[in-house]
Structures are given as structure tokens and as C-alpha cells.
Amino acid sequence: MSRVRALALVMSVTLIACYPADQPAESGEAATPAGGMASVKDDTSQPDIVKVAVGSQDHTTLVTALQAAGLVDALANPGPFTVFAPTNAAFEKLPAGTVEDLLKPANKGKLTNILYHHVTTSALALDFFTDGQSLWLVDGGNETITKKDGDTYIGGAKIIASVRASNGWVHVIDTVLVPGEN
């Protein structure tokens, strides 16, 4: 067999192997993935940050905001991340109409910036934080960690629970962090 034929055979087999089994190779259409990392079904591994939030009835507003901002797949990626996750009650503390306004497509950039202000690109357990520590967040801002009466706060928001995820940590907070407020 000539080199050209062998190369053509290898390329043909490679191309055919790249098509999903349910899509014929001769369709001419490129295969499109069903979704990003967040769409991967896995009931046996430790859940990622998104799956932790989706599984919490206290974080439905946060999940809705992540979906509106298009950040679900980003936070399902390997990370590492630490997310300070406001509860539904934390979002309810905002002035009336704030959440609804932020969820409008025209405000996606503002919503994204606020959500970025709740994330850092390291997996930080609760015992990592020290009183007076300044923590850099993905939006470029900082928040100060405060320790008081055995509790830990970030920018005035109390950390009320912590959950280890496969790609980092979720620290549940009782107040939404607003960039530039602290």
C-alpha cells in the first residue's frame, strides 16, 4: 500500500471515529456538544460548585442569577474556585426590585460583575481566613475578612456554612457583596 493510500485510510478512520454514533458522518454537519461542564451527568463524584448551589433550596436566586449571567459552565469547570454564595434571604435584603432589574438581559454586564465579586480563583477553606486579611475577587475588587466571636465575615457578610465541592469551596453568606461598598 502506498504512503498516500495509507495516510488517506488513517485520516478517513480518524474522521469517522470523531462523529458521534447517533450522527452519520455523511451529514456534513459539525457535531455540537450538548452543553458545557455543568451538563455532565455524574451522580457518584463529589459535586462541583454549580451542583452544590443547584442542590440547595436556599440558593435558587443565586442559580437564576448565574444562569442569566451565563456563568454556570464557568463555575462547573475544574477551578479551583471559592464562591461566597448569598442565600435567597440575602438577596431579599437588597432594595425592592434590584434582583429583578439585574436579571434583565440589558443588565447582564452589571450582574456578571456583581457575581464575579463573590468568587476567587483559589480553593480556600474557612480556616484559611485570618482577621484583617484582604481577599482579591474575580471582578478585581477586594473584601476584608473579619473574625468576631468565633464567626468569619467577608465584607460584612457572615459566613454561615461551608461546603467542599470537587472544584473548590462554597461559603454560604447572609448578605450580597456589592462591589465598592466596603
Side-chain angles (χ1 to χ4, degrees):
M1 183 182 300
S2 75
R3 281 185 152 159
V4 173
R5 276 190 180 173
L7 181 58
L9 178 62
V10 169
M11 289 178 61
S12 296
V13 170
T14 303
L15 286 173
I16 290 169
C18 289
Y19 281 94
D22 62 344
Q23 181 178 347
E26 64 273 358
S27 72
E29 294 179 24
T32 50
M37 291 293 293
S39 66
V40 174
K41 181 83 169 141
D42 180 357
D43 295 327
T44 58
S45 298
Q46 183 177 30
D48 60 42
I49 287 170
V50 172
K51 288 180 177 72
V52 169
V54 167
S56 169
Q57 62 185 354
D58 292 325
H59 289 93
T60 57
T61 305
L62 176 61
V63 170
T64 298
L66 290 170
Q67 291 168 336
L71 297 177
V72 172
D73 283 331
L75 288 175
N77 282 320
F81 303 107
T82 297
V83 173
F84 297 94
T87 61
N88 294 339
F91 281 102
E92 290 170 7
K93 290 181 184 180
L94 294 171
T98 301
V99 173
E100 293 78 9
D101 190 51
L102 287 170
L103 292 175
K104 293 178 181 174
N107 293 325
K108 183 178 178 180
K110 186 174 183 180
L111 175 62
T112 299
N113 193 53
I114 290 170
L115 292 172
Y116 280 169
H117 196 69
H118 290 80
V119 179
T120 189
T121 56
S122 298
L124 306 175
L126 190 59
D127 61 3
F128 171 82
F129 302 120
T130 59
D131 192 44
Q133 177 183 13
S134 181
L135 189 64
W136 176 87
L137 301 163
V138 173
D139 73 326
N142 292 295
E143 290 289 349
T144 301
I145 301 294
T146 306
K147 299 274 192 165
K148 184 171 128 183
D149 299 327
D151 292 318
T152 304
Y153 297 80
I154 178 167
K158 183 178 180 180
I159 297 175
I160 56 177
S162 297
V163 179
R164 181 71 166 119
S166 64
N167 59 345
W169 281 91
V170 177
H171 296 296
V172 179
I173 56 175
D174 68 352
T175 305
V176 175
L177 301 173
V178 180
E181 275 197 358
N182 294 314

